[in-house]
Amino acid sequence: AELAALGDRAADASAFLGAADRVLLGVGAKVAPLLPSAVVPAARIRLRQLVGHLVADAGPGLAPHIARAKRDGFRLNLNLLGEAVLGEDEANRRLQRVCELVARPDVDYVSVKVSAVASQLSTWDTEGSVRRVVDRLRPLYRVAAESGTFLNLDMEEYRDLALTVRVFDELVNDRAVRGHELGIVLQAYLPDTSAALEEITAIARRRVEAGGARLKVRLVKGANLAMEQVEAELHGWEQAPYAGKPDVDAHYVRLVERALDPARTDALRVGVASHNLFHVAYAHLLAGQRGVTEALDVEMLQGMAPAQARAVQRDVGQVLLYTPVVAQQDFDVAISYLVRRLEENSAHQNFLHALFAEGDVDLGDTTRGVGGQEQAFLASVRDAATVPTTPRRLPRADTTVRPGEFRNAADTDPAVPASREWAAALVAADVEPPAGAVEVTDVAEVDAVVARAVAAAPAWSARPPAER
């Protein structure tokens, strides 16, 4: 049905589809309702071919993809995409597939998220989650050390920040991997990452002083803003990332400037991941000026502005390309990844949007196009020293509500350390159960409590608000 609907708009695709693909789309849209079992698989194959430069095939096509990149002088940072991990069976399968990727002789750099290999993580129980994840990831890290593959611990959501840093600290100090370089990602759109950079630097220094290898921090701007905004709205929280892009850019410059410090780079290498040529050039020139060029990796996204990546490669020597890898059965996940990336890069304030729009923009216009990006970059450098670095998400404050006014209380945020401490104190306290409390000791009793609540719901929902 969706393919048939797309056929009605085949003419709109003339700007980005060739004549042959427009014909295939038109024919497929007409035949799909009659022969969906034949047309839809064929359409999926063609779609995979169209986006193959953006998302690599985890099957037989991966080896040629890696070989082509190496011939072109690029290194690849592979990230295995997949559905959200909801249960332990899927978590185990995903971990096994990541292990197989890490062990490949043609792979030397892989990214993995905590949330991709462990299910049912509780932010409230960060300590317990750290232990579970460390136990889960330790075999993977040992495989990486044995095969010589660089392993990067990635992060997706704000609530994972403290967990990810703690897990990283535990894993990199495992004796079996201490001599192997490893890395972690920090997102500049979170003001909290300034403190996290200091924590990671301390971890790296302790490791080197103990005879271990250097660590690496990969600096990105952040790619989950929409999700963070939705979560904040649902729970009544302040959004964790900065409210605007100027602060994100200023914080990114601040992180780059602090990370590329000779006092840090003896223990901590730096990956600057950005398509903004002003920020890439800033990092490259700053590293040269400070004599730490060997500690800097310039990183970009696979398939996004490849001509730009080649131009940067000619100047800096090598570029590392972040490359999503997806199995055929998980291809739907690749679509959501692509939509998110294309949405980011088509935003008016984004550098790539400005770069590709130059044909329609007066080069002398300092408010749009590359001229506007230059002004935004200069502002980010100017504001780097003063951009706020205190967390935006704070413990819930009591609010005064006027008589007759109704306002939902915000949920307590377990990502805030003070909230976790408050909850832990309640759990640890020896509190006398209130009169009439029922002790629940097994699954059957939990089911009975839920059943009573379901049975009571109709009568309760029928009560007017004043009576409730």
Side-chain angles (χ1 to χ4, degrees):
E2 294 294 336
L3 187 57
L6 284 175
D8 297 334
R9 305 191 52 142
D12 298 338
S14 59
F16 61 90
L17 285 182
D21 283 317
R22 291 201 302 275
V23 170
L24 288 173
L25 176 59
V27 172
K30 289 182 172 60
V31 178
L34 303 174
L35 295 171
S37 60
V39 174
V40 173
R44 291 172 68 89
I45 291 171
R46 182 56 186 147
L47 183 58
R48 287 176 69 89
Q49 293 171 343
L50 287 172
V51 301
H53 63 297
L54 297 169
V55 179
D57 181 8
L62 183 57
H65 185 101
I66 294 172
R68 281 193 302 271
K70 289 182 177 178
R71 283 197 303 270
D72 292 338
F74 291 100
R75 292 181 65 202
L76 299 185
N77 171 7
L78 303 181
N79 175 34
L80 184 67
L81 299 180
E83 293 287 357
V85 170
L86 301 178
E88 284 299 280
D89 288 344
E90 174 58 23
N92 289 330
R93 285 192 293 269
R94 182 77 60 79
L95 181 60
Q96 179 59 37
R97 287 161 57 194
V98 176
C99 280
E100 292 168 358
L101 188 65
V102 165
R104 287 178 59 129
D106 56 351
V107 170
D108 63 5
Y109 202 121
V110 172
S111 284
V112 62
K113 293 183 178 71
V114 165
S115 56
V117 295
S119 70
Q120 307 298 323
L121 295 175
S122 170
T123 310
W124 285 111
D125 182 23
T126 296
E127 294 300 318
S129 295
V130 167
R131 290 192 296 273
R132 283 182 54 210
V133 174
V134 168
D135 289 342
R136 174 65 57 85
L137 285 178
R138 184 173 280 118
L140 174 65
Y141 271 66
R142 291 181 176 179
V143 169
E146 291 166 2
S147 59
T149 301
F150 186 96
L151 202 56
N152 211 54
L153 194 59
D154 211 338
M155 196 190 81
E156 190 160 24
E157 299 179 62
Y158 172 68
R159 64 187 177 193
D160 294 334
L161 176 58
L163 171 66
T164 304
V165 173
R166 286 285 313 284
V167 166
F168 185 68
D169 188 9
E170 294 277 346
L171 289 170
V172 300
N173 287 300
D174 183 342
R175 290 183 180 277
V177 305
R178 192 175 288 170
H180 185 58
E181 283 199 14
L182 299 163
I184 189 171
V185 173
L186 289 182
Q187 298 167 306
Y189 72 179
L190 299 173
D192 314 58
T193 53
S194 269
L197 176 61
E198 300 303 320
E199 189 174 354
I200 291 164
T201 301
I203 294 169
R205 284 177 176 149
R206 290 195 299 269
R207 191 180 200 241
V208 169
E209 288 168 2
R214 281 194 301 184
L215 298 176
K216 176 183 171 182
V217 60
R218 180 175 186 259
L219 301 177
V220 302
K221 291 185 180 176
N224 295 286
L225 180 59
M227 182 181 67
E228 297 285 3
Q229 289 174 328
V230 168
E231 183 181 52
E233 182 71 21
L234 287 174
H235 293 283
W237 299 333
E238 189 79 28
Q239 73 173 47
Y242 288 107
K245 193 171 188 303
D247 280 347
V248 176
D249 287 348
H251 193 219
Y252 192 74
V253 171
R254 178 190 179 95
L255 291 171
V256 169
E257 192 276 332
R258 288 176 177 258
L260 288 174
D261 181 345
R264 292 181 195 261
T265 54
D266 59 341
L268 190 67
R269 297 179 61 247
V270 184
V272 171
S274 177
H275 278 269
N276 187 316
L277 293 182
F278 290 109
H279 287 142
V280 171
Y282 173 81
H284 176 58
L285 294 174
L286 183 65
Q289 183 184 70
R290 293 179 172 180
V292 295
T293 300
E294 63 81 27
L296 173 66
D297 287 337
V298 173
E299 308 187 18
M300 293 182 166
L301 295 173
Q302 167 81 45
M304 292 286 183
Q308 178 186 346
R310 288 193 296 270
V312 172
Q313 180 199 46
R314 286 194 295 270
D315 279 350
V316 305
Q318 190 175 71
V319 171
L320 186 66
L321 298 179
Y322 182 88
T323 305
V325 177
V326 65
Q328 185 172 355
Q329 65 269 24
D330 293 326
F331 187 66
D332 289 350
V333 182
I335 299 301
S336 62
Y337 166 84
L338 290 169
V339 168
R340 189 179 71 188
R341 290 299 186 192
L342 294 172
E343 184 180 43
E344 291 167 13
N345 289 313
S346 63
H348 288 282
Q349 70 269 33
N350 188 278
F351 181 87
L352 285 184
H353 179 277
L355 187 67
F356 292 130
E358 275 301 344
D360 302 320
V361 175
D362 179 4
L363 292 177
D365 185 349
T366 60
T367 63
R368 300 173 63 196
V370 172
Q373 290 295 316
E374 180 182 3
Q375 295 304 310
F377 164 70
L378 294 174
S380 71
V381 175
R382 180 195 67 214
D383 297 338
T386 57
V387 64
T389 58
T390 53
R392 290 169 53 81
R393 193 75 61 74
L394 300 173
R396 189 180 72 191
D398 292 332
T399 55
T400 302
V401 180
R402 294 190 300 272
E405 180 184 27
F406 175 81
R407 186 185 309 155
N408 273 324
D411 295 338
T412 303
D413 181 11
V416 176
S419 298
R420 296 197 299 272
E421 293 167 5
W422 164 78
L426 287 180
V427 171
D430 186 13
V431 179
E432 186 70 24
V438 177
E439 183 179 4
V440 177
T441 59
D442 58 35
V443 174
E445 290 179 352
V446 172
D447 290 341
V449 170
V450 173
R452 288 201 300 275
V454 171
W460 178 255
S461 62
R463 292 177 182 269
E467 188 175 338
R468 293 187 200 177

